[in-house]
């Protein structure tokens, strides 16, 4: 079946977690506020940060955390119809990573991702920085991101700035956010 995640993993409190199979990559965690990927489609122009042939490693040491993930599409060599639909061919791949730290009520993390050979034959690079500050039940967050899409002979960048706030009261969570995207050709 192709429904949901299907992977095998090895988990260690001291050495981190590693999984192999069909699952999301590190960039799937990118985004602020309560909305999936902060509701900004331009961040994921041609890729959705998941795949069938994923290797992902994550480690969390309390104050510092990070991870790296790699997606390949080698199954498309034997049967192109079974390859991952977001990739162009068997030579396409994706790598992404994050690194972050917690300093009291402040959490900061940076993301990087590079896709080679999207379905449309393009390359995509994403760099992002997030910060979140928690005051009791109120969480304030900010995001700065740049997405570079390289097409044959052309290149375009999208700069994204966002802020969000969430307030949790019992079983209720209230959220609001504002973003601005600017495309540069």
């Amino acid at each position: 079946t192709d429904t949901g995640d299907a992977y095998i993993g090895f988990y260690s409190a001291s050495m981190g977690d590693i999984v192999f199979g069909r699952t999301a990559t590190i960039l799937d965690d990118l985004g602020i506020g309560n909305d999936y990927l902060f509701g900004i489609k331009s961040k994921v122009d041609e890729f959705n940060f998941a795949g069938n042939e994923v290797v992902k490693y994550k480690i969390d040491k309390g104050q510092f955390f990070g991870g790296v993930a790699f997606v390949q599409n080698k199954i498309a060599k034997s049967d192109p119809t079974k390859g991952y639909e977001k990739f162009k061919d068997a030579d396409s791949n994706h790598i992404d990573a994050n690194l972050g730290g917690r300093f009291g009520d402040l959490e900061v993390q940076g993301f990087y991702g590079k896709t080679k050979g999207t379905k449309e034959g393009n390359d995509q690079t994403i760099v992002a920085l997030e910060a979140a500050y928690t005051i009791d039940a109120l969480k304030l967050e900010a995001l700065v991101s740049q997405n570079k899409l390289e097409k044959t002979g052309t290149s375009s960048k999208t700069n994204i700035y966002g802020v969000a706030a969430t307030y949790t009261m019992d079983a209720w969570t209230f959220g609001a956010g504002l973003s601005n995207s600017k495309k540069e050709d």
Side-chain angles (χ1 to χ4, degrees), residues 78-90:
S78 61
D79 185 355
T81 63
K82 291 189 178 183
Y84 187 52
E85 71 274 1
K86 294 288 184 174
F87 282 138
K88 180 180 179 183
D89 54 31

Side-chain angles (χ1 to χ4, degrees), residues 89 115 141:
D89 54 31
T115 304
E141 299 173 88

Side-chain angles (χ1 to χ4, degrees), residues 80-124:
T81 63
K82 291 189 178 183
Y84 187 52
E85 71 274 1
K86 294 288 184 174
F87 282 138
K88 180 180 179 183
D89 54 31
D91 293 325
S92 299
N93 61 60
H94 173 81
I95 188 166
D96 59 35
N98 78 324
L99 185 61
R102 298 177 186 100
F103 309 95
D105 294 330
L106 176 67
E107 182 176 302
V108 179
Q109 65 179 320
F111 290 89
Y112 172 81
K114 176 76 175 173
T115 304
K116 179 185 163 229
T118 65
K119 182 178 180 180
E120 290 77 9
N122 305 317
D123 292 342
Q124 181 172 327

